[in-house]
Amino acid sequence: MHEGLRSRGFRGCTVFDCFGAGQVVSQRLFSGHSWRERPDTQQPMFSAFKIMKQLHEMLWYLSEAQVRTYDPDAAQDARELASVITALTRDSLAELFSVDVDALHTAVRAILIEVSEEVRASYFAEVGHLDPSLGAGADLAGAHLRARSLCGADLRGSCLIAADLRGSDLTAVDLLGADLRDARLAGADLSAALYLTQPQVNAAKGNADTRLPAGVSAPPHWRRR
């Protein structure tokens, strides 16, 4: 089924990634039972998945923050918060529903921004060598950014839909929450980009020359292009 989804127009289904939350919810919290077999579990299962996915996504980002920071204290803060969140993923269903997800997002965000500023500064992001339009939350849909050195740019939350980034260097570029749908990444170097996730890569267009971070792989449709 999955191999034919993109060609049939179901691209959104090929982009989605739950960071392993679905397996935890279905197998541990609901003992492997499907909501189709037990319709009474549908509402609590879906609600649990929504929370669990966010927790797993936070753990993904905190894992990267731990290895990218140069500050031992920041790394320790990230480890401690990750331990707290990991414990929450192992709680009962009732305990999961009592989690203050907003408070966790705030705590995680603070660490991620701190690490981002530190790493980007090491690539001289603070000395003004970058285009002023390249900022957090920028609207860069369709932007021509081909073969550019974007090292250290803060593109957190930016719209990069169909942006041309072919051959560009995105080392230490903060891509947290950036929209990379149909972004052209052929030959681009994202091997040391910050906070790049599999769903973002799945939504973009790359090729065999696109360099990706460890833990993120080229989607099948890149190899077919």
Side-chain angles (χ1 to χ4, degrees):
M1 177 190 294
H2 292 283
E3 287 298 317
L5 287 174
R6 181 169 288 271
S7 61
R8 293 166 56 196
F10 296 99
R11 295 173 59 193
C13 298
T14 66
V15 169
F16 181 77
D17 190 302
C18 70
F19 297 91
Q23 187 78 358
V24 172
V25 171
S26 63
Q27 296 301 315
R28 189 177 67 78
L29 292 178
F30 290 88
S31 304
H33 296 296
S34 168
W35 61 268
R36 291 186 176 88
E37 300 166 352
R38 292 179 51 189
D40 59 301
T41 66
Q42 179 177 342
Q43 191 278 327
M45 185 179 290
F46 288 9
S47 297
F49 173 75
K50 182 179 179 180
I51 298 171
M52 191 69 74
K53 178 181 178 296
Q54 293 179 76
L55 298 181
H56 277 235
E57 191 168 1
M58 289 184 227
L59 288 173
W60 170 278
Y61 288 128
L62 288 172
S63 177
E64 180 174 354
Q66 291 174 53
V67 299
R68 295 300 296 272
T69 183
Y70 307 116
D71 182 354
D73 291 334
Q76 181 62 25
D77 289 343
R79 276 193 297 272
E80 291 177 355
L81 186 51
S83 295
V84 170
I85 296 174
T86 298
L88 293 174
T89 66
R90 297 170 179 168
D91 280 342
S92 67
L93 189 62
E95 291 169 322
L96 182 67
F97 287 148
S98 68
V99 171
D100 188 341
V101 178
D102 289 338
L104 288 175
H105 274 301
T106 299
V108 171
R109 182 177 183 274
I111 291 176
L112 299 185
I113 289 178
E114 177 185 352
V115 173
S116 172
E117 291 175 347
E118 173 195 14
V119 173
R120 290 186 297 102
S122 70
Y123 285 86
F124 308 106
E126 79 285 359
V127 297
H129 77 285
L130 293 166
D131 188 326
S133 67
L134 301 177
D139 183 358
L140 299 169
H144 298 286
L145 300 170
R146 185 173 184 177
R148 295 270 296 275
S149 175
L150 304 175
C151 299
D154 183 3
L155 296 181
R156 172 171 34 94
S158 295
C159 176
L160 289 161
I161 296 174
D164 188 353
L165 293 161
R166 289 175 293 172
S168 291
D169 186 352
L170 283 83
T171 298
V173 174
D174 188 335
L175 292 172
L176 180 66
D179 192 338
L180 293 175
R181 284 178 291 170
D182 288 334
R184 304 169 72 182
L185 302 179
D189 186 357
L190 297 93
S191 60
L194 278 164
Y195 309 135
L196 181 68
T197 65
Q198 192 65 56
Q200 288 173 301
V201 170
N202 291 348
K205 296 179 178 178
N207 65 4
D209 296 323
T210 305
R211 299 180 62 190
L212 298 172
V216 178
S217 57
H221 70 276
W222 284 17
R223 295 191 288 271
R224 287 195 295 267
R225 288 178 62 83

